[in-house]
PDB file of all heavy atoms in Angstrom:
ATOM      1  N   LEU A1261      23.304   3.773 -58.834  1.00 96.00           N
ATOM      2  CA  LEU A1261      24.448   3.378 -58.086  1.00 96.00           C
ATOM      3  C   LEU A1261      25.149   2.264 -58.807  1.00 96.00           C
ATOM      4  O   LEU A1261      24.531   1.517 -59.588  1.00 96.00           O
ATOM      5  CB  LEU A1261      24.103   2.886 -56.692  1.00 96.00           C
ATOM      6  CG  LEU A1261      23.172   3.669 -55.827  1.00 96.00           C
ATOM      7  CD1 LEU A1261      21.824   3.051 -55.806  1.00 96.00           C
ATOM      8  CD2 LEU A1261      23.812   3.712 -54.453  1.00 96.00           C
ATOM      9  N   THR A1262      26.432   2.110 -58.591  1.00 96.00           N
ATOM     10  CA  THR A1262      27.191   0.975 -59.033  1.00 96.00           C
ATOM     11  C   THR A1262      27.635   0.161 -57.796  1.00 96.00           C
ATOM     12  O   THR A1262      28.160   0.731 -56.860  1.00 96.00           O
ATOM     13  CB  THR A1262      28.444   1.414 -59.879  1.00 96.00           C
ATOM     14  OG1 THR A1262      27.931   2.180 -60.980  1.00 96.00           O
ATOM     15  CG2 THR A1262      29.200   0.252 -60.372  1.00 96.00           C
ATOM     16  N   VAL A1263      27.396  -1.080 -57.919  1.00 97.00           N
ATOM     17  CA  VAL A1263      27.717  -1.994 -56.799  1.00 97.00           C
ATOM     18  C   VAL A1263      28.661  -3.068 -57.274  1.00 97.00           C
ATOM     19  O   VAL A1263      28.523  -3.556 -58.421  1.00 97.00           O
ATOM     20  CB  VAL A1263      26.379  -2.699 -56.393  1.00 97.00           C
ATOM     21  CG1 VAL A1263      26.678  -3.847 -55.476  1.00 97.00           C
ATOM     22  CG2 VAL A1263      25.454  -1.648 -55.676  1.00 97.00           C
ATOM     23  N   THR A1264      29.783  -3.298 -56.581  1.00 96.00           N
ATOM     24  CA  THR A1264      30.835  -4.132 -57.119  1.00 96.00           C
ATOM     25  C   THR A1264      31.060  -5.483 -56.479  1.00 96.00           C
ATOM     26  O   THR A1264      31.951  -6.157 -56.808  1.00 96.00           O
ATOM     27  CB  THR A1264      32.159  -3.327 -57.126  1.00 96.00           C
ATOM     28  OG1 THR A1264      32.423  -3.002 -55.712  1.00 96.00           O
ATOM     29  CG2 THR A1264      32.188  -2.117 -57.941  1.00 96.00           C
ATOM     30  N   SER A1265      30.147  -5.806 -55.569  1.00 97.00           N
ATOM     31  CA  SER A1265      30.280  -7.145 -54.953  1.00 97.00           C
ATOM     32  C   SER A1265      28.955  -7.539 -54.239  1.00 97.00           C
ATOM     33  O   SER A1265      28.112  -6.662 -53.961  1.00 97.00           O
ATOM     34  CB  SER A1265      31.328  -7.162 -53.821  1.00 97.00           C
ATOM     35  OG  SER A1265      30.965  -6.335 -52.760  1.00 97.00           O
ATOM     36  N   PRO A1266      28.736  -8.819 -54.002  1.00 98.00           N
ATOM     37  CA  PRO A1266      27.505  -9.242 -53.265  1.00 98.00           C
ATOM     38  C   PRO A1266      27.382  -8.524 -51.921  1.00 98.00           C
ATOM     39  O   PRO A1266      26.293  -8.160 -51.523  1.00 98.00           O
ATOM     40  CB  PRO A1266      27.614 -10.731 -53.087  1.00 98.00           C
ATOM     41  CG  PRO A1266      28.622 -11.113 -54.159  1.00 98.00           C
ATOM     42  CD  PRO A1266      29.528  -9.939 -54.427  1.00 98.00           C
ATOM     43  N   GLU A1267      28.544  -8.424 -51.234  1.00 98.00           N
ATOM     44  CA  GLU A1267      28.531  -7.743 -49.899  1.00 98.00           C
ATOM     45  C   GLU A1267      28.036  -6.294 -50.028  1.00 98.00           C
ATOM     46  O   GLU A1267      27.269  -5.812 -49.147  1.00 98.00           O
ATOM     47  CB  GLU A1267      29.866  -7.844 -49.257  1.00 98.00           C
ATOM     48  CG  GLU A1267      30.001  -7.225 -47.923  1.00 98.00           C
ATOM     49  CD  GLU A1267      28.853  -7.539 -47.018  1.00 98.00           C
ATOM     50  OE1 GLU A1267      28.345  -8.690 -46.880  1.00 98.00           O
ATOM     51  OE2 GLU A1267      28.337  -6.588 -46.336  1.00 98.00           O
ATOM     52  N   GLN A1268      28.489  -5.618 -51.043  1.00 98.00           N
ATOM     53  CA  GLN A1268      28.040  -4.271 -51.254  1.00 98.00           C
ATOM     54  C   GLN A1268      26.542  -4.177 -51.575  1.00 98.00           C
ATOM     55  O   GLN A1268      25.853  -3.260 -51.220  1.00 98.00           O
ATOM     56  CB  GLN A1268      28.742  -3.580 -52.434  1.00 98.00           C
ATOM     57  CG  GLN A1268      29.926  -2.733 -51.994  1.00 98.00           C
ATOM     58  CD  GLN A1268      30.428  -1.866 -53.121  1.00 98.00           C
ATOM     59  OE1 GLN A1268      29.723  -1.408 -53.962  1.00 98.00           O
ATOM     60  NE2 GLN A1268      31.744  -1.625 -53.136  1.00 98.00           N
ATOM     61  N   MET A1269      26.045  -5.158 -52.260  1.00 98.00           N
ATOM     62  CA  MET A1269      24.578  -5.225 -52.500  1.00 98.00           C
ATOM     63  C   MET A1269      23.771  -5.389 -51.246  1.00 98.00           C
ATOM     64  O   MET A1269      22.732  -4.800 -51.094  1.00 98.00           O
ATOM     65  CB  MET A1269      24.266  -6.399 -53.545  1.00 98.00           C
ATOM     66  CG  MET A1269      22.879  -6.398 -54.047  1.00 98.00           C
ATOM     67  SD  MET A1269      22.547  -4.990 -55.066  1.00 98.00           S
ATOM     68  CE  MET A1269      23.082  -5.502 -56.672  1.00 98.00           C
ATOM     69  N   ARG A1270      24.307  -6.274 -50.403  1.00 98.00           N
ATOM     70  CA  ARG A1270      23.691  -6.433 -49.031  1.00 98.00           C
ATOM     71  C   ARG A1270      23.721  -5.102 -48.277  1.00 98.00           C
ATOM     72  O   ARG A1270      22.744  -4.746 -47.608  1.00 98.00           O
ATOM     73  CB  ARG A1270      24.431  -7.517 -48.236  1.00 98.00           C
ATOM     74  CG  ARG A1270      23.737  -8.776 -48.443  1.00 98.00           C
ATOM     75  CD  ARG A1270      24.654  -9.924 -47.874  1.00 98.00           C
ATOM     76  NE  ARG A1270      24.411 -10.197 -46.484  1.00 98.00           N
ATOM     77  CZ  ARG A1270      24.751 -11.379 -45.982  1.00 98.00           C
ATOM     78  NH1 ARG A1270      25.236 -12.282 -46.718  1.00 98.00           N
ATOM     79  NH2 ARG A1270      24.515 -11.602 -44.655  1.00 98.00           N
ATOM     80  N   GLU A1271      24.809  -4.393 -48.350  1.00 97.00           N
ATOM     81  CA  GLU A1271      24.946  -3.183 -47.642  1.00 97.00           C
ATOM     82  C   GLU A1271      23.976  -2.155 -48.181  1.00 97.00           C
ATOM     83  O   GLU A1271      23.343  -1.392 -47.414  1.00 97.00           O
ATOM     84  CB  GLU A1271      26.424  -2.677 -47.768  1.00 97.00           C
ATOM     85  CG  GLU A1271      26.693  -1.293 -47.243  1.00 97.00           C
ATOM     86  CD  GLU A1271      26.316  -1.093 -45.761  1.00 97.00           C
ATOM     87  OE1 GLU A1271      26.459  -2.153 -45.066  1.00 97.00           O
ATOM     88  OE2 GLU A1271      25.995   0.026 -45.328  1.00 97.00           O
ATOM     89  N   LEU A1272      23.740  -2.220 -49.512  1.00 98.00           N
ATOM     90  CA  LEU A1272      22.728  -1.277 -50.105  1.00 98.00           C
ATOM     91  C   LEU A1272      21.376  -1.605 -49.516  1.00 98.00           C
ATOM     92  O   LEU A1272      20.588  -0.768 -49.162  1.00 98.00           O
ATOM     93  CB  LEU A1272      22.779  -1.491 -51.625  1.00 98.00           C
ATOM     94  CG  LEU A1272      21.681  -0.680 -52.377  1.00 98.00           C
ATOM     95  CD1 LEU A1272      21.795   0.828 -52.076  1.00 98.00           C
ATOM     96  CD2 LEU A1272      21.804  -0.907 -53.842  1.00 98.00           C
ATOM     97  N   GLY A1273      21.112  -2.902 -49.308  1.00 98.00           N
ATOM     98  CA  GLY A1273      19.861  -3.312 -48.791  1.00 98.00           C
ATOM     99  C   GLY A1273      19.712  -2.799 -47.352  1.00 98.00           C
ATOM    100  O   GLY A1273      18.626  -2.346 -46.979  1.00 98.00           O
ATOM    101  N   ARG A1274      20.792  -2.867 -46.587  1.00 97.00           N
ATOM    102  CA  ARG A1274      20.744  -2.427 -45.162  1.00 97.00           C
ATOM    103  C   ARG A1274      20.506  -0.866 -45.155  1.00 97.00           C
ATOM    104  O   ARG A1274      19.680  -0.399 -44.300  1.00 97.00           O
ATOM    105  CB  ARG A1274      22.043  -2.706 -44.512  1.00 97.00           C
ATOM    106  CG  ARG A1274      22.174  -4.252 -44.174  1.00 97.00           C
ATOM    107  CD  ARG A1274      23.313  -4.543 -43.142  1.00 97.00           C
ATOM    108  NE  ARG A1274      24.604  -4.407 -43.776  1.00 97.00           N
ATOM    109  CZ  ARG A1274      25.265  -5.411 -44.300  1.00 97.00           C
ATOM    110  NH1 ARG A1274      24.851  -6.643 -44.309  1.00 97.00           N
ATOM    111  NH2 ARG A1274      26.455  -5.244 -44.801  1.00 97.00           N
ATOM    112  N   ARG A1275      21.120  -0.165 -46.071  1.00 96.00           N
ATOM    113  CA  ARG A1275      20.849   1.264 -46.152  1.00 96.00           C
ATOM    114  C   ARG A1275      19.505   1.604 -46.503  1.00 96.00           C
ATOM    115  O   ARG A1275      18.782   2.551 -46.025  1.00 96.00           O
ATOM    116  CB  ARG A1275      21.835   1.958 -47.048  1.00 96.00           C
ATOM    117  CG  ARG A1275      23.044   2.575 -46.370  1.00 96.00           C
ATOM    118  CD  ARG A1275      23.998   3.280 -47.352  1.00 96.00           C
ATOM    119  NE  ARG A1275      24.922   2.331 -47.968  1.00 96.00           N
ATOM    120  CZ  ARG A1275      25.297   2.315 -49.195  1.00 96.00           C
ATOM    121  NH1 ARG A1275      24.833   3.267 -50.004  1.00 96.00           N
ATOM    122  NH2 ARG A1275      26.112   1.409 -49.622  1.00 96.00           N
ATOM    123  N   LEU A1276      18.985   0.885 -47.509  1.00 97.00           N
ATOM    124  CA  LEU A1276      17.637   1.067 -48.047  1.00 97.00           C
ATOM    125  C   LEU A1276      16.555   0.859 -46.863  1.00 97.00           C
ATOM    126  O   LEU A1276      15.577   1.526 -46.759  1.00 97.00           O
ATOM    127  CB  LEU A1276      17.343   0.117 -49.163  1.00 97.00           C
ATOM    128  CG  LEU A1276      15.971   0.211 -49.873  1.00 97.00           C
ATOM    129  CD1 LEU A1276      15.744   1.545 -50.455  1.00 97.00           C
ATOM    130  CD2 LEU A1276      15.925  -0.833 -50.947  1.00 97.00           C
ATOM    131  N   ALA A1277      16.920  -0.134 -46.025  1.00 97.00           N
ATOM    132  CA  ALA A1277      15.976  -0.452 -44.934  1.00 97.00           C
ATOM    133  C   ALA A1277      15.674   0.726 -44.090  1.00 97.00           C
ATOM    134  O   ALA A1277      14.547   0.847 -43.544  1.00 97.00           O
ATOM    135  CB  ALA A1277      16.505  -1.615 -44.103  1.00 97.00           C
ATOM    136  N   LYS A1278      16.675   1.620 -43.938  1.00 96.00           N
ATOM    137  CA  LYS A1278      16.504   2.790 -43.014  1.00 96.00           C
ATOM    138  C   LYS A1278      15.442   3.722 -43.604  1.00 96.00           C
ATOM    139  O   LYS A1278      14.880   4.532 -42.839  1.00 96.00           O
ATOM    140  CB  LYS A1278      17.832   3.515 -42.904  1.00 96.00           C
ATOM    141  CG  LYS A1278      18.882   2.719 -42.241  1.00 96.00           C
ATOM    142  CD  LYS A1278      20.049   3.612 -41.678  1.00 96.00           C
ATOM    143  CE  LYS A1278      21.151   2.803 -41.092  1.00 96.00           C
ATOM    144  NZ  LYS A1278      22.321   2.684 -41.977  1.00 96.00           N
TER     145      LYS A1278
END
Side-chain angles (χ1 to χ4, degrees):
L1261 308 107
T1262 300
V1263 167
T1264 57
S1265 69
E1267 179 44 43
Q1268 264 193 31
M1269 189 64 88
R1270 265 166 93 155
E1271 175 56 29
L1272 175 59
R1274 288 194 286 266
R1275 260 183 277 143
L1276 181 60
K1278 296 197 184 105

